Amino acid sequence: MWKLLVLLPFFAFAAWGEAAAVVKSVSGEARLIKNGVERAAQKGDKIEVKDKIKTLKNSNLSLIFSDNTVVTVGQNSEFSVDEYLFEPSEKKGRFGGNLQKGSLACVTGLIAKMNPESMKMQAKTATMGIRGTYFLIEVEE
Amino acid sequence: MFGCSPKVNVVVLPEEGGKVGAVEYVGVDGQKQVLDKAYEAIAIDKSGESKKANLDAATVAQKYGSLLSAMPNPPKSFMIFFGSESASLDGKDLSVIDEAVSYIKSQKAVEVVCAGHTDGLGQKSYNRELSLKRAKAVSELLSKKGVDERLIVVRHYGCANPLEKVEKGKSSPKNRRVEMIVR
């Protein structure tokens, strides 16, 4: 009984707090900004829509999304997830990534396979449609 | 300051096994540019003007090597199958579970999804319940074998995500499964 009570909040979280991605690795120093609060990003952190990631010099951070999209954010970068939806049972998926600064590399997952419109990456004023691939984007200042 | 407006560079890379997908960019003139060859690149300036180029592996490795070498391994799936209407692991060959456990440890996994599925026999609500029981049976065994239970996420889909398409109401051993996705 005691164990059941302890497990309860965990399952409640898993049901309602669907994260878009999880931090797979951090090398050097990276920051996570959630609801306007900034702190150090750590391996295992859950990333939700509107969260922002900042990396410092000689640092990088990797994310794995629920649809198995993999993103590595390079050094001196700022990246946020503007839109994310993945409902495999309903065949619904949308991915809107936004690179404000720096660079990223990405291997797409299941969302990009759903239809040609489902995945977009914005970098400054340019928006790219992603049709399932391995690619990199760099904002050169 | 105004002289060095930012420029966006995009490069398409070959996936493991050499497969190349595609990235599309629609320019200010409404023209669609498609990058679909390995190391094809596009440079887009602030006004939206773009220029395509063909890079090579060596140039990309030199310029972006540290970014690309930081890419983690992609998620890996392990699959275990169940008997009809059963969520029991008793008497089963559990070598795939042991394989998953050692992979979880060696990769220092940050998330392990246990996704339960059923075939199309029976009621939807019954199948959802059964798929949850299957996923929980696997997640309990994983934590018994030393996987940190905070890493485990249990999902259940009933018969909504079949591995093989079969006629409605037909039994399918391949669809009675739990997929462990190691991230």
Side-chain angles (χ1 to χ4, degrees), chain A residues 131, chain B residues 7-12 22-27 31-45 48-55:
Chain A
R131 287 205 265 120
Chain B
K7 193 173 77 171
V8 172
N9 299 315
V10 183
V11 187
V12 168
V23 171
E24 290 179 359
Y25 172 70
V26 179
Q31 284 275 43
K32 189 194 279 183
Q33 306 268 16
V34 181
L35 310 182
D36 57 4
K37 288 170 199 73
Y39 307 112
E40 211 167 15
I42 193 169
I44 306 159
D45 71 17
E49 299 277 351
S50 65
K51 209 174 142 191
K52 260 168 109 168
N54 291 305
L55 305 181

Side-chain angles (χ1 to χ4, degrees), chain A residues 46 66 129 131 134 138 140, chain B residues 7 9 13 22 24 64 183:
Chain A
K46 307 278 182 195
S66 304
R131 287 205 265 120
Y134 180 24
E138 171 195 40
E140 206 177 288
Chain B
K7 193 173 77 171
N9 299 315
L13 305 160
E24 290 179 359
Y64 303 108
R183 298 194 171 115

